[in-house]
Amino acid sequence: MSEVYAARRARLRERCHAGGSAAALVTRPANVRYLAGASPCGAVLLLARHEDILLCQSPPEDRPHEGRLDEALRVQVLSPSSGGDPAVAAAGLAQSQGADSLAVEEHHLTVARHRALASVAPRLRLTDLGNAVEQLRVVKDEEEISLLRIGAEIADQALGELLESILVGRTERHLALELERRLVDHGADGPAFPTSVATGPNAGRRGHRPTDRRVEEGDFLSVCLGASYRGYRCELGRTFVIGTSPADWQIQLYDLVFTAQRAGREALAPGVACRDVDRAARQVLEAAGFGEHLHPLTGHGVGLENDEDPQLSPSAMGKLDACVPVTIEPGVHIPGRGGVRIDDTLVVRPEADGGPELLTITTKELLAL
Amino acid sequence: MSEVYAARRARLRERCHAGGSAAALVTRPANVRYLAGASPCGAVLLLARHEDILLCQSPPEDRPHEGRLDEALRVQVLSPSSGGDPAVAAAGLAQSQGADSLAVEEHHLTVARHRALASVAPRLRLTDLGNAVEQLRVVKDEEEISLLRIGAEIADQALGELLESILVGRTERHLALELERRLVDHGADGPAFPTSVATGPNAGRRGHRPTDRRVEEGDFLSVCLGASYRGYRCELGRTFVIGTSPADWQIQLYDLVFTAQRAGREALAPGVACRDVDRAARQVLEAAGFGEHLHPLTGHGVGLENDEDPQLSPSAMGKLDACVPVTIEPGVHIPGRGGVRIDDTLVVRPEADGGPELLTITTKELLAL
């Protein structure tokens, strides 16, 4: 694996040099992990003139769930008594090695921390690395996709088991905790994000945080969960009806969201504009009169974080590439009544390879539980 | 409760005016919650010239577990299509109201966000609010302490129940998940921080993240957990021995850490220097030859966050006040063998009130389970 990380760092270094910076400092944990294999607590990565150095406050532990640190990387542990910030130490190091500029992640460093860097290395010109690492992360290699695929299998299993149990009378919070336990049972590092379980009038709300409301007969039940597997985070969302016979409005609403979600999935292809994928799903809901309260995003990239680029929204710029995993997750929520969300993780693939690869395979038929 | 929040904001406003700023922008979520009663996702609080305004991206929901928003507060919801940052909107608003300066939390705002504020409000001088809100938060009122007390009871209950079950053969990760489930069962919002369960050679490591190692006969087992109750986060840590008869080295190590922890607890009083509390505990461990690898902190404040001021460390400045809740959590870890940590949450009280109030009452006898 070491060559993978070295290759990623080499690509970042090229971008930095093209941008006029001799050295770069990566502080955002997911970016450190992408370039170094792991991101021990508080660690920062310095791409210096002649070598790459991971600086951290304590010796990194070997924790396979949280990634394996690239062995080829030099690790420098700050003395515990220094109480120091590894980013500040990195800036001092870069200056002492004769660098004249250092690109930093201005979207991650706080103003106070940035000032501490400038103060310890006054001869260093601090420039903005911007989202350079995030952009490298958008297109995944097959190893990364296979980790997402395993995570999706785990999420499918956890959800499938929950559906076999009795749901009526249990609270949203307990169902969410049980799903998270099952994710870990099946080998996840943990949940990819806080598991959302929404019942009755809460159903269909994006990012709903579980309450003490209990599942009742006739409810919509919507669930959104994901497994983090070796750091990679998939997402799976489904909506069910509790009881034997869904009401007509439930069937109609479900069919509508299903149609929108399918349109979004089918729009996925390399070269397609992100906003066109969004529009494919959104216009179905708009045409049915639900345009006003829709969430700004129909979907987003996933990977080492749950909410990566690209964004699938009306204002999104850019086009999809092959090997970009995204969610397609339209939903409708009717205040006071509830609603429907359906959420899959898929990988953009060319038609010659069979089109978009669906990672989350739990059925999207409307199940009455 | 509304008066409590208004009074807190009035104190902050005084500090700002004393510092020469007409207006202040609070962005750090725990600080927003302290001053507004709740911190809806992404919300920021503007203390403007004539009124206080909470700006957020979507209408705040009523979620009692996450605090109740002060009803006296004006709430301004950004239009969803703006896609905007409430902090940027707040800066624009402050400028349009004629403020000439705005104090911001430079230790929380990123460089990129700070620049966006400056760009939308070029006539506004941005100053640093520093840790003004964090400092207000150090001394708790009795309502806050009662929430910590309930959280501590919940943590005690969850741990007590776990100890009644069979532990041998179960993994650290499963024990941690079970503790977290029990916290929620007993009414916690959720865990105050990721629950730590450490067995055998891992035992005694501060902040150890649970692995798939299984509990074995003869192990030390150390557990650190906390309940978040209405946002307030207590901390409880204990170490046990698995099996009927602890080994001599285990008894000796336990007695040593117990003695250090007691010394720390007994040092707590209003007016005592934070570093003297640290020294009381630390010197016991140093005298026994464990000085080298000790953690820089013997304890820390708790409240809306798990790791607040004051810090109890050799380099800490300042003295304790009454009504400050802190942890006392010395520990020793011997690489390859394991170790002991004991962690209580206590409230500093004057001797006339009975001295330090212990919130976490689980026994500190060495239990063999």
Side-chain angles (χ1 to χ4, degrees):
Chain A
M1 280 300 288
S2 190
E3 315 78 57
V4 173
Y5 303 117
R8 291 174 182 173
R9 295 195 299 270
R11 288 178 65 198
L12 181 62
R13 199 182 285 269
E14 266 171 42
R15 291 206 182 192
C16 282
H17 288 183
S21 277
L25 175 62
V26 180
T27 51
R28 192 174 176 183
N31 290 345
V32 172
R33 177 160 183 172
Y34 182 74
L35 298 168
S39 58
C41 184
V44 305
L45 180 66
L46 176 66
L47 303 194
R49 270 185 153 181
H50 306 295
E51 67 175 337
D52 303 333
I53 307 168
L54 187 90
L55 294 99
C56 42
Q57 280 177 321
S58 49
E61 301 160 31
D62 187 26
R63 299 185 51 82
H65 280 291
E66 290 162 21
R68 288 202 186 278
L69 204 58
D70 178 1
E71 289 165 10
L73 206 54
R74 185 178 140 203
V75 175
Q76 185 170 321
V77 179
L78 274 60
S79 78
S81 57
S82 82
D85 176 348
V88 173
L93 187 61
Q95 177 176 278
S96 73
Q97 289 188 350
D100 58 351
S101 69
L102 179 69
V104 301
E105 299 191 291
E106 293 190 351
H107 60 299
H108 179 258
L109 278 185
T110 65
V111 176
R113 226 172 152 200
H114 192 268
R115 186 181 301 122
L117 262 64
S119 141
V120 82
R123 295 193 306 279
L124 215 51
R125 189 167 47 86
L126 296 179
T127 62
D128 188 9
L129 185 58
N131 290 304
V133 187
E134 284 86 349
Q135 282 162 27
L136 291 179
R137 285 166 47 196
V138 170
V139 175
K140 271 71 176 176
D141 63 32
E142 287 302 325
E143 171 69 18
E144 294 179 281
I145 292 172
S146 76
L147 298 178
L148 283 168
R149 199 180 287 121
I150 295 170
E153 278 175 22
I154 292 172
D156 280 324
Q157 283 177 314
L159 182 57
E161 288 173 2
L162 187 79
L163 300 186
E164 289 172 13
S165 64
I166 290 172
L167 301 172
V168 171
R170 296 167 75 190
T171 70
E172 293 175 355
R173 296 216 292 169
H174 274 98
L175 292 177
L177 281 167
E178 179 170 335
L179 281 168
E180 295 188 355
R181 183 179 62 76
R182 290 185 186 277
L183 290 173
V184 174
D185 279 346
H186 287 292
D189 318 333
F193 51 85
T195 298
S196 178
V197 174
T199 63
N202 300 327
R205 292 184 49 223
R206 190 177 200 269
H208 173 75
R209 282 168 294 184
T211 69
D212 289 327
R213 189 184 182 285
R214 292 176 193 277
V215 177
E216 296 175 14
E217 288 282 338
D219 275 356
F220 265 136
L221 167 70
S222 60
V223 173
C224 186
L225 77 162
S228 169
Y229 186 76
R230 301 284 189 262
Y232 282 80
R233 295 159 192 268
C234 65
E235 197 173 311
L236 163 66
R238 292 290 184 270
T239 299
F240 311 98
V241 165
I242 304 297
T244 44
S245 53
D248 286 348
W249 74 274
Q250 289 177 319
I251 295 173
Q252 283 161 18
L253 192 62
Y254 192 91
D255 284 348
L256 178 74
V257 175
F258 177 84
T259 304
Q261 205 255 359
R262 184 178 57 198
R265 282 186 279 124
E266 290 177 352
L268 291 174
V272 172
C274 295
R275 64 174 60 172
D276 289 343
V277 178
D278 174 77
R279 192 188 308 136
R282 188 176 299 271
Q283 67 188 6
V284 174
L285 304 178
E286 283 173 347
F290 292 107
E292 202 179 341
H293 298 292
L294 296 183
H295 191 271
L297 292 185
T298 293
H300 54 78
V302 294
L304 285 170
E305 290 175 296
N306 175 247
D307 212 343
E308 300 195 349
D309 284 332
Q311 299 203 327
L312 306 180
S313 74
S315 60
M317 306 296 286
K319 296 180 176 180
L320 291 173
D321 284 308
C323 299
V324 174
V326 295
T327 65
I328 298 288
E329 47 172 315
V332 168
H333 177 255
I334 305 173
R337 297 187 80 184
V340 176
R341 298 191 64 78
I342 304 175
D343 185 353
D344 278 314
T345 303
L346 305 99
V347 182
V348 178
R349 304 277 193 190
E351 208 181 312
D353 293 350
E357 178 189 351
L358 182 68
L359 301 188
T360 43
I361 60 168
T362 296
T363 182
K364 286 185 282 283
E365 272 184 86
L366 176 55
L367 298 184
L369 303 171
Chain B
M1 278 301 287
S2 190
E3 315 80 56
V4 173
Y5 302 118
R8 291 174 183 172
R9 295 196 298 270
R11 289 178 66 196
L12 181 63
R13 198 182 285 270
E14 267 172 42
R15 291 207 182 191
C16 282
H17 288 184
S21 277
L25 175 63
V26 180
T27 51
R28 193 174 176 184
N31 290 346
V32 172
R33 177 160 183 170
Y34 182 74
L35 298 168
S39 59
C41 183
V44 306
L45 180 66
L46 176 66
L47 303 195
R49 271 185 152 182
H50 306 294
E51 68 175 338
D52 303 333
I53 307 168
L54 187 89
L55 294 100
C56 43
Q57 282 178 319
S58 49
E61 302 160 32
D62 188 27
R63 300 183 52 81
H65 281 291
E66 290 161 23
R68 287 204 187 275
L69 204 58
D70 178 2
E71 288 165 10
L73 206 55
R74 183 178 142 205
V75 175
Q76 184 169 323
V77 178
L78 274 60
S79 78
S81 58
S82 82
D85 177 347
V88 173
L93 187 60
Q95 176 175 278
S96 72
Q97 291 188 346
D100 58 351
S101 68
L102 179 69
V104 301
E105 299 193 290
E106 293 191 350
H107 61 298
H108 179 257
L109 278 185
T110 65
V111 176
R113 229 173 148 197
H114 191 268
R115 185 181 302 121
L117 262 64
S119 140
V120 83
R123 295 193 306 277
L124 215 52
R125 189 168 45 89
L126 296 179
T127 62
D128 188 8
L129 185 58
N131 290 305
V133 188
E134 284 85 349
Q135 282 161 28
L136 291 179
R137 285 167 47 197
V138 169
V139 175
K140 270 71 177 177
D141 63 32
E142 287 301 325
E143 171 70 17
E144 294 180 281
I145 291 172
S146 76
L147 298 178
L148 283 168
R149 198 180 288 122
I150 296 170
E153 279 175 23
I154 292 172
D156 279 324
Q157 284 177 313
L159 181 57
E161 288 172 2
L162 187 80
L163 300 185
E164 289 171 12
S165 64
I166 290 171
L167 301 173
V168 171
R170 297 166 75 189
T171 69
E172 293 175 353
R173 296 216 291 168
H174 274 98
L175 293 176
L177 281 167
E178 180 171 334
L179 282 167
E180 295 188 354
R181 184 178 61 77
R182 289 184 187 277
L183 290 173
V184 174
D185 278 345
H186 288 292
D189 317 333
F193 50 85
T195 299
S196 177
V197 174
T199 62
N202 299 327
R205 292 184 49 222
R206 190 177 199 269
H208 173 75
R209 281 168 294 185
T211 70
D212 288 327
R213 188 183 183 284
R214 291 177 193 277
V215 177
E216 295 176 12
E217 288 281 339
D219 276 356
F220 264 138
L221 168 70
S222 60
V223 173
C224 186
L225 78 162
S228 169
Y229 185 76
R230 302 286 189 259
Y232 282 79
R233 293 156 193 269
C234 65
E235 198 174 310
L236 162 66
R238 291 292 184 269
T239 300
F240 310 98
V241 165
I242 304 297
T244 44
S245 53
D248 287 348
W249 74 273
Q250 290 176 318
I251 295 173
Q252 284 160 19
L253 192 62
Y254 192 89
D255 285 347
L256 178 74
V257 174
F258 177 83
T259 304
Q261 206 256 358
R262 185 177 57 199
R265 280 187 279 124
E266 291 178 350
L268 290 174
V272 172
C274 294
R275 66 173 58 171
D276 289 344
V277 177
D278 174 78
R279 191 187 308 135
R282 189 177 298 271
Q283 69 189 5
V284 173
L285 305 178
E286 283 174 348
F290 291 108
E292 201 179 342
H293 298 293
L294 296 183
H295 192 270
L297 292 184
T298 293
H300 55 78
V302 293
L304 285 170
E305 290 176 298
N306 176 247
D307 211 344
E308 299 195 349
D309 284 332
Q311 299 203 327
L312 306 179
S313 74
S315 59
M317 305 296 286
K319 296 179 175 181
L320 291 173
D321 284 308
C323 300
V324 174
V326 294
T327 65
I328 298 287
E329 48 172 315
V332 168
H333 177 254
I334 306 172
R337 298 187 80 184
V340 175
R341 298 191 64 77
I342 304 175
D343 185 353
D344 279 315
T345 302
L346 305 98
V347 182
V348 177
R349 303 278 193 191
E351 209 181 313
D353 293 349
E357 177 188 353
L358 183 67
L359 299 188
T360 43
I361 60 168
T362 296
T363 183
K364 288 185 281 284
E365 274 184 84
L366 176 54
L367 297 183
L369 304 171

